[in-house]
Amino acid sequence: AWLVASRGWTPLQHLEALTVERARALLRGGADSSAGEPSALERARVLCSWGESDPTAAAAGSTVAIHSLVSRPSMNGKVGVVVSANASTARFGVRVAGEAKALALRPANLQPAAEAVEVGRLILKAAEWSPQSHELFPEPARKWAVAVMRLGYLIAWDEERFDGEGAAPGLVDLWRSFVLPRVVVR
């Protein structure tokens, strides 16, 4: 089911299978986090809010870490992949390497794999330009941000426009906080 659902996805949409370094390289290379259905951005939002708001939000193909199992404590700490969901039993089928069949586990015993969460956070961070996300944008967008910021500095320090003294830090901060995120796009 997961292979069929993920056919045609971009590499960034496979966030559970990416390392942080690979996700960073894809974003800097111009990968569009809003492309596809569901987009990498939508998938990152679900993944990063999974434990907080909806512990049943795991989707087929999600990489999960197993914890707090009482019946099979040897499985705690192992990583697996969600292969099915059973609404009537409220359990997920999780395939773990070395196990003959998928384990039927409750959502309370699963959490997103740590690296997948870090990749999700990186994708969320790169959704909008900010000084903190600048390095995650492709080179042309980074160059555009620098050019637009220079324009902001020129306007802020225009002595003719501001009676001999530049408007300085206040206008520059506004420019950086409100103008740049709207004009610098992937």
Side-chain angles (χ1 to χ4, degrees):
W2 178 77
L3 285 174
V4 172
S6 65
R7 186 179 304 136
W9 279 11
T10 66
L12 196 59
Q13 287 172 281
H14 292 279
L15 55 131
E16 294 95 349
L18 294 173
T19 63
V20 171
E21 294 77 24
R22 178 69 177 134
R24 183 181 315 281
L26 288 168
L27 289 165
R28 286 180 61 97
D32 184 358
S33 61
S34 61
E37 186 60 41
S39 70
L41 193 55
E42 292 166 337
R43 298 193 75 241
R45 283 187 186 117
V46 168
L47 183 69
C48 291
S49 68
W50 177 11
E52 302 165 12
S53 60
D54 186 4
T56 64
S62 296
T63 304
V64 294
I66 301 169
H67 67 90
S68 306
L69 275 181
V70 176
S71 62
R72 292 192 59 191
S74 64
M75 298 304 293
N76 290 331
K78 298 223 174 170
V79 174
V81 176
V82 174
V83 293
S84 64
N86 186 327
S88 63
T89 63
R91 291 180 182 258
F92 290 106
V94 178
R95 173 76 65 196
V96 177
E99 292 294 311
K101 60 181 190 170
L103 305 171
L105 301 173
R106 294 178 317 195
N109 297 114
L110 303 173
Q111 63 189 32
E115 182 141 36
V117 173
E118 289 305 310
V119 169
R121 288 184 183 139
L122 192 69
I123 291 169
L124 291 174
K125 180 180 174 182
E128 182 177 89
W129 185 91
S130 71
Q132 294 76 29
S133 68
H134 178 81
E135 60 101 10
L136 297 173
F137 278 69
E139 186 176 357
R142 292 193 313 268
K143 285 181 177 179
W144 177 240
V146 170
V148 172
M149 193 65 225
R150 282 183 180 148
L151 178 61
Y153 279 117
L154 288 173
I155 293 170
W157 293 98
D158 183 354
E159 293 181 5
E160 289 178 18
R161 194 167 284 175
F162 296 106
D163 297 326
E165 6 181 303
L171 185 56
V172 170
D173 290 343
L174 281 170
W175 191 264
R176 182 183 308 113
S177 300
F178 295 103
V179 175
L180 263 74
R182 284 154 186 82
V183 300
V184 179
V185 294
R186 302 203 138 269

